[in-house]
Amino acid sequence: MNMKIAKISTICGVIVTIAIGVAAPASAGPVNLVINGSFEGATGVTPAGWTVGGSAFDHYPPVAIAYNQTGLYPFGAQGESVPTDNANSLSPNAAGSNGVYFVSDEAKNLSLYQYVYLTPGSYDIGFDSYDTYNGSVQPNDATLTAEIAGVQLANFSASSVSPGSWSSHAGEAQIQTAGEYLVSFVFNTPDTPANPDPSNPNGEYNAKDIVIDRAYVFSASNGGGTPIPSAVPEPASVALLGAGLAGVAALRRWRKAVRGGND
């Protein structure tokens, strides 16, 4: 705090010296353009600002779970206490209390996604991921593909990473055309057959699990990044979203209202 000295001489001719505190202007940090990138809010449901697409034939869609507790789905990671995200992330948001749990054993392009409006320029992008211990011992694999602002940030199998620790995935996009850009996380269990059994009576498709947190997109000043010429999603990306695209129109209308109608 900076100090200024003021002199007041109107009280019985006595000069009174007082210190007036002048607050230094706070430096503004980067603004995360992803709505609810830390997945805060109610647990056991789809986090606010996000839409679910694709299929979970066993009816286990991705949901927000609370950290450091041993609840069962949909409020916890099937009894495992997942630690708060502590990855070395560039996200301008703290990890908060929740992450998103992908646990379906019969997932076909099961996605969690939203669109963000970006103007031309460079953007830092990223998210964090965690492989659970109880998921790691399951016999079948799972994969996570992450696309943010036209850049594929991750495409890995849960069997390729060590359980019990958080990892950060970061990149940079150079947007050339203003518009709505996809932020999506797509979860698949490739060992599930073409016509899976919704009841999974004997657990024959049991697959590994992944938790994600701190998705972000914010403006970067260095002018670098992967050039992204168009805001129009590629056909393959649209297919990945599956049935969830029905919610995009409503989400865009909500974002437009938040921005005061300046779409």
Side-chain angles (χ1 to χ4, degrees):
M1 177 175 288
N2 298 324
M3 307 299 293
K4 285 187 176 180
I5 303 300
K7 292 183 178 180
I8 303 175
S9 58
T10 58
I11 304 176
C12 300
V14 178
I15 296 176
V16 180
T17 301
I18 62 173
I20 302 174
V22 179
S27 58
V31 175
N32 191 358
L33 302 176
V34 177
I35 295 174
N36 194 17
S38 288
F39 308 113
E40 296 309 298
T43 59
V45 295
T46 304
W50 296 86
T51 300
V52 173
S55 301
F57 293 100
D58 55 359
H59 308 297
Y60 280 68
V63 292
I65 63 170
Y67 290 130
N68 303 302
Q69 50 85 29
T70 57
L72 300 178
Y73 181 91
F75 302 104
Q78 302 296 53
E80 179 178 338
S81 178
V82 175
T84 303
D85 180 0
N86 60 2
N88 186 20
S89 172
L90 293 177
S91 173
N93 303 131
S97 302
N98 300 342
V100 164
Y101 186 37
F102 284 92
V103 65
S104 174
D105 293 325
E106 300 175 23
K108 293 293 185 182
N109 296 327
L110 181 61
S111 64
L112 188 72
Y113 71 95
Q114 65 172 264
Y115 281 82
V116 295
Y117 183 82
L118 303 177
T119 57
S122 292
Y123 295 85
D124 283 317
I125 56 179
F127 77 102
D128 300 337
S129 67
Y130 178 94
D131 182 24
T132 67
Y133 283 109
N134 55 20
S136 69
V137 301
Q138 298 303 326
N140 296 311
D141 212 347
T143 64
L144 182 72
T145 303
E147 178 184 330
I148 298 180
V151 178
Q152 187 180 93
L153 277 182
N155 184 17
F156 65 90
S157 61
S159 62
S160 69
V161 297
S162 299
S165 62
W166 281 95
S167 299
S168 182
H169 310 267
E172 192 170 6
Q174 186 184 98
I175 300 301
Q176 299 177 347
T177 304
E180 302 277 355
Y181 286 81
L182 180 67
V183 178
S184 75
F185 302 92
V186 182
F187 185 74
N188 276 286
T189 53
D191 299 318
T192 302
N195 297 298
D197 177 4
S199 64
N200 193 6
N202 300 314
E204 63 263 44
Y205 311 133
N206 286 356
K208 304 179 189 307
D209 312 326
I210 294 175
V211 182
I212 63 169
D213 200 357
R214 286 198 285 182
Y216 64 87
V217 175
F218 63 84
S219 181
S221 60
N222 60 11
T226 302
I228 309 297
S230 174
V232 179
E234 295 294 329
S237 297
V238 174
L240 287 176
L241 299 180
L245 283 177
V248 172
L251 179 59
R252 285 178 171 173
R253 286 194 297 271
W254 182 78
R255 289 183 62 85
K256 183 175 179 180
V258 170
R259 293 197 300 269
N262 297 320
D263 238 354

